[in-house]
Amino acid sequence: MRKTLWKRNGLLLGGAAVVAGAIAATVALWPSGGGSPNGTGASVGTASAPSPTASYPLSQAPRTIPAVREHVPAHGPGWRPGSGARVVVDGDSLAGTGKLLAGELGMAYAGRTGARDGDVELGVAGGGDRESYTMTVQGGRVKITGPGEAGVFYGTRTLKQEVHGGGTAPEGVVRDAPAKPRRGFMVDIARKHYTAGWIEDRVRELGDLKYNELGLHFSDDQAFRIESSSHPEIVSPQHLSKAEVKKIVDLAASRHITVVPEIDSPGHLGAVIAAHPDLQLRKASGTAVRGAVDISKPAAGKIVDDLLNEYAGLFPGSYWHLGGDEYQALTVSDPAASFPQLAAAARARFGAQAGVADLATGWMNDRASVMRGHARTMRAWNDGFYRSSTVQPAKDLEVAYWTGKEIGARQPAEYLGSGRKLINYNDEYLYYVLGQPQTFVYPTGQRIYEQWTPRVLRGTKAVPAQYDGQILGGVFAVWSDRAGAQTQDQVAAGIRMPLRATAQKLWDARTPSLSWTQFKELAARLG
């Protein structure tokens, strides 16, 4: 039998394998002519199949969201949970995943016990991408293995969807891995209060769709939404307690989801300024600038750093969003004339030729230094990277690319060409903005499913394929600009299909094998 091999991030997967002589062919869930999963154009291998038995025709590929990348069919009855069936694991690190699956499928959890007929066996094995997994359905058992615990968890999500509503996991082997390592959902909980229970429900939904990031934008002009011990004076009456946040973070971790917090600065700090009006940025005329702190004042940096250091303990994940967008001092025609104090501070710090953009870049770099001390990988909005700045943003800052509408807007290729890594937040497809202000319209799952890929970073045009490796993934974002436009339940309903479409395209960016109508029907069946 020929093998089809595909690779991502060091992962090498065989396109076919013999399982007790029963496996007959390789069936991959990508379109004909689309090439192999990494786009190299390798063909899918097949081999002569043994004649189907009278009892069991060759199995069909599973239908899941996101779709599995490869299924090797076989003859056999498949698997569904039966009386006495158990979930067993090969190590205590998989206990949480095993217990979760057992509860979902109405099975017993037996821990580190040898597998027997009817059981599901989970194990960490092999090398390569830690989000990859192999699931073998054979002889009345299911075995899910992967190089990391995350991959094993994703395998259980596939199994859960396969047997949803009394279905059967088809006989054969699934080999699966995501195309992109960052697959996120972000919600603006600053402008609108979302309950802890609502966020927990989204975590469960994200986990089943194989997302691995939840972004929380919890500070803005309207409110500051998480309890603070270092600066309790800035916290809004409606907020999440630290105990509630910890519960969210722990639930997310159990689903292999990292919570990515964002304290946006030096703009969007109106809630902080309300308690500290002396920090507000003012023009030479004395006019206050909404939401912006005066970055020439050391006290402004100190209060933000206090918050960053405090919340680093509450959010232990690897990633941090520093914000950096829409600093109003840099939206006027002559920043130095409008804000002479900023221009003077820039010259004092960076030399006679320095300008306000240099001071703003220095601010961002200072905040990055704080979070680097907490071993975080950081990102900032693309309009926080200033073309006019001679001071360069820290090299380890990733670009959260959301817009091409800012002053001095730069095409994504300009960032990519300089070696930056980008995360796709394309506001044309991935922004769900409550009340649809300005030119925003609610995104549809169909448009994402049929038109968007991670390479479509700005507008509707994809960047050249040569940059694909620098695009780490994407994030679907809910912004609460007009908080009363929808209830939180309406938001959940509105983002349901866009979340599923985004999950599919982050897992496999190529044209899906199902039509949009078929995809919608599948989503309705899976719940």
Side-chain angles (χ1 to χ4, degrees):
M1 178 175 291
R2 293 169 53 202
K3 283 189 175 182
T4 299
L5 302 179
W6 55 280
K7 188 176 183 180
R8 185 184 78 81
N9 295 344
L11 168 66
L12 190 63
L13 296 178
V18 176
V19 180
I23 293 174
T26 297
V27 176
L29 295 186
W30 51 84
S32 60
S36 64
N38 66 349
T40 60
S43 63
V44 177
T46 61
S48 298
S51 300
T53 66
S55 300
Y56 303 116
L58 199 62
S59 62
Q60 298 295 309
R63 291 287 180 94
T64 59
I65 298 176
V68 300
R69 303 290 293 276
E70 179 186 345
H71 176 248
V72 183
H75 298 282
W79 179 92
R80 68 176 65 185
S83 177
R86 309 171 307 161
V87 177
V88 302
V89 299
D90 72 353
D92 293 339
S93 65
L94 293 174
T97 295
K99 291 175 182 177
L100 175 64
L101 181 67
E104 291 169 332
L105 300 187
M107 301 169 66
Y109 175 70
R112 298 177 65 176
T113 306
R116 65 192 187 198
D117 288 349
D119 286 353
V120 175
E121 182 180 4
L122 310 179
V124 174
D129 185 345
R130 295 181 64 81
E131 292 193 312
S132 69
Y133 68 91
T134 299
M135 181 170 69
T136 303
V137 179
Q138 178 193 13
R141 300 184 187 183
V142 179
K143 185 173 184 178
I144 300 172
T145 61
E149 295 164 23
V152 177
F153 173 75
Y154 297 144
T156 68
R157 301 305 86 194
T158 295
L159 181 64
K160 177 186 176 183
Q161 289 191 33
E162 286 179 325
V163 301
H164 176 82
T168 299
E171 202 85 5
V173 180
V174 166
R175 293 186 178 88
D176 204 11
K180 291 297 179 182
R182 309 278 186 85
R183 305 177 303 281
F185 168 65
M186 191 225 79
V187 60
D188 167 15
I189 65 171
R191 294 179 176 95
K192 180 181 181 66
H193 175 67
Y194 293 83
T195 65
W198 186 91
I199 298 171
E200 289 169 8
D201 285 344
R202 301 289 74 71
V203 169
R204 295 183 185 95
E205 182 178 16
L206 295 174
D208 282 355
L209 295 170
K210 302 184 176 80
Y211 281 90
N212 60 8
E213 284 190 7
L214 168 65
L216 294 180
H217 175 95
F218 65 91
S219 169
D220 214 300
D221 295 341
Q222 291 79 357
F224 192 99
R225 297 286 190 185
I226 296 179
E227 174 188 354
S228 171
S229 56
S230 67
H231 289 281
E233 73 280 2
I234 70 173
V235 179
S236 302
Q238 271 194 315
H239 64 271
L240 299 174
S241 69
K242 286 189 175 181
E244 288 175 318
V245 172
K246 185 179 186 305
K247 186 179 177 185
I248 291 167
V249 169
D250 290 346
L251 178 66
S254 75
R255 266 71 173 173
H256 297 274
I257 295 170
T258 299
V259 179
V260 183
E262 180 193 359
I263 300 176
D264 201 349
S265 77
H268 295 281
L269 284 172
V272 173
I273 292 168
H276 297 272
D278 55 308
L279 299 181
Q280 187 160 31
L281 178 65
R282 294 181 179 275
K283 293 184 176 181
S285 63
T287 303
V289 180
R290 184 173 185 262
V293 295
D294 188 333
I295 59 176
S296 70
K297 295 183 175 182
K302 182 181 184 304
I303 193 170
V304 173
D305 290 348
D306 288 345
L307 295 168
L308 293 174
N309 284 317
E310 176 183 359
Y311 290 110
L314 185 61
F315 297 100
S318 302
Y319 306 120
W320 199 277
H321 201 318
L322 294 170
D325 65 316
E326 298 178 328
Y327 188 52
Q328 296 303 305
L330 288 163
T331 63
V332 300
S333 58
D334 189 345
S338 295
F339 304 99
Q341 77 277 30
L342 299 185
R347 292 191 297 270
R349 181 172 180 183
F350 297 113
Q353 303 305 311
V356 176
D358 296 299
L359 190 67
T361 301
W363 167 281
M364 185 62 62
N365 287 343
D366 290 344
R367 310 294 76 82
S369 293
V370 171
M371 295 317 299
R372 200 176 292 114
H374 294 287
R376 299 300 196 270
T377 297
M378 297 153 292
R379 71 190 68 165
W381 299 113
N382 63 286
D383 53 328
F385 293 74
Y386 303 106
R387 174 179 276 167
S388 59
S389 176
T390 57
V391 175
Q392 293 301 300
K395 291 186 181 299
D396 57 349
L397 275 177
E398 298 170 349
V399 180
Y401 199 97
W402 71 282
T403 186
K405 302 181 180 73
E406 78 275 14
I407 295 174
R410 286 178 282 175
Q411 293 288 341
E414 193 168 329
Y415 299 88
L416 294 163
S418 68
R420 292 277 178 189
K421 295 179 179 179
L422 269 66
I423 302 169
N424 192 328
Y425 289 75
N426 187 338
D427 65 348
E428 178 79 16
Y429 291 94
L430 306 180
Y431 263 33
Y432 191 96
V433 186
L434 297 194
Q436 304 181 109
Q438 301 171 6
T439 60
F440 288 108
V441 294
Y442 292 129
T444 67
Q446 182 173 3
R447 193 158 179 257
I448 296 168
Y449 190 77
E450 295 179 345
Q451 299 179 17
W452 180 82
T453 74
R455 282 173 45 211
V456 180
L457 283 155
R458 172 179 176 175
T460 60
K461 184 178 179 181
V463 298
Q466 71 192 71
Y467 296 124
D468 187 65
Q470 289 171 244
I471 301 169
L472 301 174
V475 175
F476 185 88
V478 172
W479 292 99
S480 307
D481 289 40
R482 295 177 180 169
Q486 291 189 341
T487 66
Q488 63 179 16
D489 290 339
Q490 288 173 323
V491 172
I495 65 176
R496 183 177 180 277
M497 288 310 298
L499 273 179
R500 282 151 179 77
T502 304
Q504 175 60 46
K505 301 306 280 290
L506 289 171
W507 197 264
D508 189 342
R510 288 152 315 129
T511 302
S513 62
L514 300 182
S515 69
W516 172 247
T517 298
Q518 291 171 323
F519 188 79
K520 278 199 308 180
E521 290 171 351
L522 176 61
R525 181 173 64 80
L526 295 177

